[in-house]
PDB file of all heavy atoms in Angstrom:
ATOM      1  N   THR T 137      -2.947  -3.158 -12.147  1.00  0.00           N
ATOM      2  CA  THR T 137      -1.692  -3.908 -12.105  1.00  0.00           C
ATOM      3  C   THR T 137      -1.732  -4.868 -10.929  1.00  0.00           C
ATOM      4  O   THR T 137      -2.244  -5.959 -11.052  1.00  0.00           O
ATOM      5  CB  THR T 137      -0.474  -2.954 -12.009  1.00  0.00           C
ATOM      6  OG1 THR T 137      -0.576  -2.175 -10.824  1.00  0.00           O
ATOM      7  CG2 THR T 137      -0.363  -2.053 -13.211  1.00  0.00           C
ATOM      8  N   SER T 138      -1.176  -4.439  -9.801  1.00  0.00           N
ATOM      9  CA  SER T 138      -1.204  -5.229  -8.567  1.00  0.00           C
ATOM     10  C   SER T 138      -0.801  -4.314  -7.418  1.00  0.00           C
ATOM     11  O   SER T 138      -0.228  -3.244  -7.632  1.00  0.00           O
ATOM     12  CB  SER T 138      -0.228  -6.404  -8.646  1.00  0.00           C
ATOM     13  OG  SER T 138       1.110  -5.925  -8.684  1.00  0.00           O
ATOM     14  N   GLN T 139      -1.091  -4.748  -6.201  1.00  0.00           N
ATOM     15  CA  GLN T 139      -0.660  -3.966  -5.044  1.00  0.00           C
ATOM     16  C   GLN T 139       0.862  -3.900  -5.005  1.00  0.00           C
ATOM     17  O   GLN T 139       1.427  -2.866  -4.674  1.00  0.00           O
ATOM     18  CB  GLN T 139      -1.214  -4.553  -3.746  1.00  0.00           C
ATOM     19  CG  GLN T 139      -2.685  -4.295  -3.560  1.00  0.00           C
ATOM     20  CD  GLN T 139      -3.210  -4.749  -2.211  1.00  0.00           C
ATOM     21  OE1 GLN T 139      -2.467  -5.237  -1.364  1.00  0.00           O
ATOM     22  NE2 GLN T 139      -4.508  -4.596  -2.010  1.00  0.00           N
ATOM     23  N   ARG T 140       1.527  -4.982  -5.363  1.00  0.00           N
ATOM     24  CA  ARG T 140       3.000  -5.007  -5.373  1.00  0.00           C
ATOM     25  C   ARG T 140       3.537  -3.998  -6.394  1.00  0.00           C
ATOM     26  O   ARG T 140       4.475  -3.265  -6.127  1.00  0.00           O
ATOM     27  CB  ARG T 140       3.494  -6.434  -5.704  1.00  0.00           C
ATOM     28  CG  ARG T 140       4.955  -6.561  -6.049  1.00  0.00           C
ATOM     29  CD  ARG T 140       5.892  -6.717  -4.849  1.00  0.00           C
ATOM     30  NE  ARG T 140       6.003  -5.573  -4.241  1.00  0.00           N
ATOM     31  CZ  ARG T 140       6.507  -5.005  -3.104  1.00  0.00           C
ATOM     32  NH1 ARG T 140       6.994  -5.382  -2.373  1.00  0.00           N
ATOM     33  NH2 ARG T 140       6.553  -3.971  -2.583  1.00  0.00           N
ATOM     34  N   GLY T 141       2.934  -3.964  -7.585  1.00  0.00           N
ATOM     35  CA  GLY T 141       3.381  -3.025  -8.615  1.00  0.00           C
ATOM     36  C   GLY T 141       3.192  -1.580  -8.194  1.00  0.00           C
ATOM     37  O   GLY T 141       4.078  -0.744  -8.402  1.00  0.00           O
ATOM     38  N   VAL T 142       2.063  -1.274  -7.590  1.00  0.00           N
ATOM     39  CA  VAL T 142       1.800   0.090  -7.119  1.00  0.00           C
ATOM     40  C   VAL T 142       2.721   0.421  -5.950  1.00  0.00           C
ATOM     41  O   VAL T 142       3.251   1.527  -5.864  1.00  0.00           O
ATOM     42  CB  VAL T 142       0.311   0.269  -6.744  1.00  0.00           C
ATOM     43  CG1 VAL T 142       0.063   1.613  -6.091  1.00  0.00           C
ATOM     44  CG2 VAL T 142      -0.555   0.114  -7.993  1.00  0.00           C
ATOM     45  N   ALA T 143       2.944  -0.547  -5.074  1.00  0.00           N
ATOM     46  CA  ALA T 143       3.857  -0.333  -3.947  1.00  0.00           C
ATOM     47  C   ALA T 143       5.253   0.024  -4.452  1.00  0.00           C
ATOM     48  O   ALA T 143       5.883   0.958  -3.943  1.00  0.00           O
ATOM     49  CB  ALA T 143       3.910  -1.589  -3.074  1.00  0.00           C
ATOM     50  N   ASP T 144       5.721  -0.690  -5.457  1.00  0.00           N
ATOM     51  CA  ASP T 144       7.034  -0.392  -6.036  1.00  0.00           C
ATOM     52  C   ASP T 144       7.059   1.019  -6.612  1.00  0.00           C
ATOM     53  O   ASP T 144       8.031   1.754  -6.448  1.00  0.00           O
ATOM     54  CB  ASP T 144       7.389  -1.402  -7.128  1.00  0.00           C
ATOM     55  CG  ASP T 144       7.709  -2.783  -6.565  1.00  0.00           C
ATOM     56  OD1 ASP T 144       7.947  -2.910  -5.344  1.00  0.00           O
ATOM     57  OD2 ASP T 144       7.720  -3.740  -7.370  1.00  0.00           O
ATOM     58  N   GLN T 145       5.987   1.388  -7.277  1.00  0.00           N
ATOM     59  CA  GLN T 145       5.890   2.724  -7.869  1.00  0.00           C
ATOM     60  C   GLN T 145       5.950   3.820  -6.795  1.00  0.00           C
ATOM     61  O   GLN T 145       6.550   4.868  -7.005  1.00  0.00           O
ATOM     62  CB  GLN T 145       4.571   2.825  -8.644  1.00  0.00           C
ATOM     63  CG  GLN T 145       4.560   3.800  -9.746  1.00  0.00           C
ATOM     64  CD  GLN T 145       3.236   3.749 -10.517  1.00  0.00           C
ATOM     65  OE1 GLN T 145       2.399   2.859 -10.341  1.00  0.00           O
ATOM     66  NE2 GLN T 145       3.037   4.712 -11.372  1.00  0.00           N
ATOM     67  N   LEU T 146       5.344   3.570  -5.650  1.00  0.00           N
ATOM     68  CA  LEU T 146       5.312   4.546  -4.558  1.00  0.00           C
ATOM     69  C   LEU T 146       6.516   4.446  -3.624  1.00  0.00           C
ATOM     70  O   LEU T 146       6.691   5.289  -2.738  1.00  0.00           O
ATOM     71  CB  LEU T 146       4.033   4.383  -3.732  1.00  0.00           C
ATOM     72  CG  LEU T 146       2.709   4.619  -4.448  1.00  0.00           C
ATOM     73  CD1 LEU T 146       1.539   4.350  -3.511  1.00  0.00           C
ATOM     74  CD2 LEU T 146       2.633   6.026  -5.003  1.00  0.00           C
ATOM     75  N   GLY T 147       7.327   3.408  -3.807  1.00  0.00           N
ATOM     76  CA  GLY T 147       8.465   3.212  -2.916  1.00  0.00           C
ATOM     77  C   GLY T 147       8.048   2.721  -1.547  1.00  0.00           C
ATOM     78  O   GLY T 147       8.688   3.019  -0.531  1.00  0.00           O
ATOM     79  N   LYS T 148       6.962   1.974  -1.490  1.00  0.00           N
ATOM     80  CA  LYS T 148       6.414   1.466  -0.225  1.00  0.00           C
ATOM     81  C   LYS T 148       6.221  -0.036  -0.330  1.00  0.00           C
ATOM     82  O   LYS T 148       6.473  -0.649  -1.361  1.00  0.00           O
ATOM     83  CB  LYS T 148       5.065   2.141   0.071  1.00  0.00           C
ATOM     84  CG  LYS T 148       5.145   3.644   0.246  1.00  0.00           C
ATOM     85  CD  LYS T 148       5.886   4.006   1.503  1.00  0.00           C
ATOM     86  CE  LYS T 148       5.874   5.496   1.771  1.00  0.00           C
ATOM     87  NZ  LYS T 148       6.522   5.852   3.018  1.00  0.00           N
ATOM     88  N   SER T 149       5.719  -0.651   0.737  1.00  0.00           N
ATOM     89  CA  SER T 149       5.454  -2.091   0.741  1.00  0.00           C
ATOM     90  C   SER T 149       4.027  -2.369   0.287  1.00  0.00           C
ATOM     91  O   SER T 149       3.156  -1.490   0.353  1.00  0.00           O
ATOM     92  CB  SER T 149       5.664  -2.666   2.141  1.00  0.00           C
ATOM     93  OG  SER T 149       4.631  -2.222   3.010  1.00  0.00           O
ATOM     94  N   SER T 150       3.786  -3.602  -0.131  1.00  0.00           N
ATOM     95  CA  SER T 150       2.418  -3.971  -0.512  1.00  0.00           C
ATOM     96  C   SER T 150       1.499  -3.975   0.717  1.00  0.00           C
ATOM     97  O   SER T 150       0.304  -3.708   0.600  1.00  0.00           O
ATOM     98  CB  SER T 150       2.390  -5.318  -1.234  1.00  0.00           C
ATOM     99  OG  SER T 150       2.976  -6.318  -0.438  1.00  0.00           O
ATOM    100  N   GLY T 151       2.058  -4.229   1.899  1.00  0.00           N
ATOM    101  CA  GLY T 151       1.264  -4.148   3.132  1.00  0.00           C
ATOM    102  C   GLY T 151       0.773  -2.736   3.384  1.00  0.00           C
ATOM    103  O   GLY T 151      -0.358  -2.531   3.848  1.00  0.00           O
ATOM    104  N   TYR T 152       1.613  -1.758   3.104  1.00  0.00           N
ATOM    105  CA  TYR T 152       1.237  -0.344   3.220  1.00  0.00           C
ATOM    106  C   TYR T 152       0.043  -0.046   2.314  1.00  0.00           C
ATOM    107  O   TYR T 152      -0.943   0.561   2.749  1.00  0.00           O
ATOM    108  CB  TYR T 152       2.449   0.510   2.836  1.00  0.00           C
ATOM    109  CG  TYR T 152       2.227   1.998   2.724  1.00  0.00           C
ATOM    110  CD1 TYR T 152       2.302   2.813   3.839  1.00  0.00           C
ATOM    111  CD2 TYR T 152       1.983   2.597   1.486  1.00  0.00           C
ATOM    112  CE1 TYR T 152       2.143   4.187   3.734  1.00  0.00           C
ATOM    113  CE2 TYR T 152       1.821   3.967   1.371  1.00  0.00           C
ATOM    114  CZ  TYR T 152       1.907   4.759   2.502  1.00  0.00           C
ATOM    115  OH  TYR T 152       1.740   6.114   2.391  1.00  0.00           O
ATOM    116  N   ILE T 153       0.110  -0.511   1.089  1.00  0.00           N
ATOM    117  CA  ILE T 153      -0.973  -0.290   0.124  1.00  0.00           C
ATOM    118  C   ILE T 153      -2.253  -0.956   0.616  1.00  0.00           C
ATOM    119  O   ILE T 153      -3.333  -0.355   0.604  1.00  0.00           O
ATOM    120  CB  ILE T 153      -0.580  -0.827  -1.265  1.00  0.00           C
ATOM    121  CG1 ILE T 153       0.711  -0.188  -1.772  1.00  0.00           C
ATOM    122  CG2 ILE T 153      -1.728  -0.659  -2.258  1.00  0.00           C
ATOM    123  CD1 ILE T 153       0.698   1.311  -1.864  1.00  0.00           C
ATOM    124  N   SER T 154      -2.134  -2.186   1.068  1.00  0.00           N
ATOM    125  CA  SER T 154      -3.293  -2.921   1.566  1.00  0.00           C
ATOM    126  C   SER T 154      -3.947  -2.209   2.747  1.00  0.00           C
ATOM    127  O   SER T 154      -5.175  -2.074   2.805  1.00  0.00           O
ATOM    128  CB  SER T 154      -2.874  -4.338   1.967  1.00  0.00           C
ATOM    129  OG  SER T 154      -3.966  -5.042   2.499  1.00  0.00           O
ATOM    130  N   ARG T 155      -3.123  -1.731   3.689  1.00  0.00           N
ATOM    131  CA  ARG T 155      -3.672  -1.042   4.860  1.00  0.00           C
ATOM    132  C   ARG T 155      -4.358   0.268   4.475  1.00  0.00           C
ATOM    133  O   ARG T 155      -5.369   0.637   5.078  1.00  0.00           O
ATOM    134  CB  ARG T 155      -2.578  -0.813   5.902  1.00  0.00           C
ATOM    135  CG  ARG T 155      -2.173  -2.111   6.612  1.00  0.00           C
ATOM    136  CD  ARG T 155      -1.224  -1.887   7.772  1.00  0.00           C
ATOM    137  NE  ARG T 155       0.047  -1.298   7.381  1.00  0.00           N
ATOM    138  CZ  ARG T 155       1.089  -1.967   6.909  1.00  0.00           C
ATOM    139  NH1 ARG T 155       1.010  -3.275   6.750  1.00  0.00           N
ATOM    140  NH2 ARG T 155       2.211  -1.345   6.596  1.00  0.00           N
ATOM    141  N   LEU T 156      -3.829   0.968   3.474  1.00  0.00           N
ATOM    142  CA  LEU T 156      -4.501   2.195   3.015  1.00  0.00           C
ATOM    143  C   LEU T 156      -5.857   1.862   2.409  1.00  0.00           C
ATOM    144  O   LEU T 156      -6.862   2.499   2.729  1.00  0.00           O
ATOM    145  CB  LEU T 156      -3.634   2.938   1.996  1.00  0.00           C
ATOM    146  CG  LEU T 156      -2.373   3.602   2.531  1.00  0.00           C
ATOM    147  CD1 LEU T 156      -1.568   4.190   1.384  1.00  0.00           C
ATOM    148  CD2 LEU T 156      -2.708   4.679   3.556  1.00  0.00           C
ATOM    149  N   ILE T 157      -5.886   0.889   1.527  1.00  0.00           N
ATOM    150  CA  ILE T 157      -7.140   0.504   0.875  1.00  0.00           C
ATOM    151  C   ILE T 157      -8.162   0.033   1.907  1.00  0.00           C
ATOM    152  O   ILE T 157      -9.343   0.377   1.825  1.00  0.00           O
ATOM    153  CB  ILE T 157      -6.883  -0.574  -0.197  1.00  0.00           C
ATOM    154  CG1 ILE T 157      -6.148   0.053  -1.393  1.00  0.00           C
ATOM    155  CG2 ILE T 157      -8.192  -1.233  -0.653  1.00  0.00           C
ATOM    156  CD1 ILE T 157      -5.659  -0.938  -2.418  1.00  0.00           C
ATOM    157  N   ASN T 158      -7.703  -0.724   2.901  1.00  0.00           N
ATOM    158  CA  ASN T 158      -8.602  -1.279   3.917  1.00  0.00           C
ATOM    159  C   ASN T 158      -8.846  -0.346   5.105  1.00  0.00           C
ATOM    160  O   ASN T 158      -9.470  -0.748   6.079  1.00  0.00           O
ATOM    161  CB  ASN T 158      -8.060  -2.630   4.400  1.00  0.00           C
ATOM    162  CG  ASN T 158      -8.172  -3.676   3.336  1.00  0.00           C
ATOM    163  OD1 ASN T 158      -9.266  -3.955   2.846  1.00  0.00           O
ATOM    164  ND2 ASN T 158      -7.055  -4.254   2.935  1.00  0.00           N
ATOM    165  N   HIS T 159      -8.345   0.897   5.014  1.00  0.00           N
ATOM    166  CA  HIS T 159      -8.534   1.927   6.047  1.00  0.00           C
ATOM    167  C   HIS T 159      -8.071   1.446   7.417  1.00  0.00           C
ATOM    168  O   HIS T 159      -8.708   1.720   8.440  1.00  0.00           O
ATOM    169  CB  HIS T 159      -9.992   2.373   6.075  1.00  0.00           C
ATOM    170  CG  HIS T 159     -10.180   3.728   6.678  1.00  0.00           C
ATOM    171  ND1 HIS T 159     -11.403   4.185   7.059  1.00  0.00           N
ATOM    172  CD2 HIS T 159      -9.310   4.729   6.964  1.00  0.00           C
ATOM    173  CE1 HIS T 159     -11.299   5.410   7.560  1.00  0.00           C
ATOM    174  NE2 HIS T 159     -10.023   5.760   7.506  1.00  0.00           N
ATOM    175  N   SER T 160      -6.939   0.733   7.421  1.00  0.00           N
ATOM    176  CA  SER T 160      -6.397   0.232   8.685  1.00  0.00           C
ATOM    177  C   SER T 160      -4.957   0.706   8.903  1.00  0.00           C
ATOM    178  O   SER T 160      -4.243   0.142   9.740  1.00  0.00           O
ATOM    179  CB  SER T 160      -6.452  -1.299   8.707  1.00  0.00           C
ATOM    180  OG  SER T 160      -5.675  -1.847   7.658  1.00  0.00           O
ATOM    181  N   TYR T 161      -4.551   1.721   8.191  1.00  0.00           N
ATOM    182  CA  TYR T 161      -3.192   2.252   8.305  1.00  0.00           C
ATOM    183  C   TYR T 161      -3.072   3.062   9.594  1.00  0.00           C
ATOM    184  O   TYR T 161      -3.929   3.892   9.902  1.00  0.00           O
ATOM    185  CB  TYR T 161      -2.872   3.110   7.084  1.00  0.00           C
ATOM    186  CG  TYR T 161      -1.487   3.699   7.055  1.00  0.00           C
ATOM    187  CD1 TYR T 161      -0.361   2.885   7.139  1.00  0.00           C
ATOM    188  CD2 TYR T 161      -1.295   5.062   6.932  1.00  0.00           C
ATOM    189  CE1 TYR T 161       0.906   3.410   7.099  1.00  0.00           C
ATOM    190  CE2 TYR T 161      -0.020   5.607   6.886  1.00  0.00           C
ATOM    191  CZ  TYR T 161       1.077   4.772   6.973  1.00  0.00           C
ATOM    192  OH  TYR T 161       2.339   5.304   6.933  1.00  0.00           O
ATOM    193  N   ALA T 162      -2.011   2.844  10.346  1.00  0.00           N
ATOM    194  CA  ALA T 162      -1.822   3.539  11.621  1.00  0.00           C
ATOM    195  C   ALA T 162      -1.010   4.830  11.477  1.00  0.00           C
ATOM    196  O   ALA T 162      -0.877   5.572  12.434  1.00  0.00           O
ATOM    197  CB  ALA T 162      -1.136   2.617  12.614  1.00  0.00           C
ATOM    198  N   GLY T 163      -0.485   5.090  10.287  1.00  0.00           N
ATOM    199  CA  GLY T 163       0.348   6.272  10.070  1.00  0.00           C
ATOM    200  C   GLY T 163      -0.437   7.470   9.583  1.00  0.00           C
ATOM    201  O   GLY T 163      -1.651   7.579   9.789  1.00  0.00           O
TER     202      GLY T 163
END
């Protein structure tokens, strides 16, 4: 789909999804 679509599904932002995929999430 898209990062935005998955973010909506998870109740998170597309930036959150991007940081998880890119292993740069600080949380």
Side-chain angles (χ1 to χ4, degrees):
T137 60
S138 67
Q139 286 186 2
R140 167 86 286 171
V142 173
D144 289 345
Q145 206 176 350
L146 298 177
K148 298 292 185 177
S149 71
S150 56
Y152 173 85
I153 303 303
S154 178
R155 287 188 298 277
L156 290 175
I157 289 171
N158 290 302
H159 202 194
S160 61
Y161 181 56

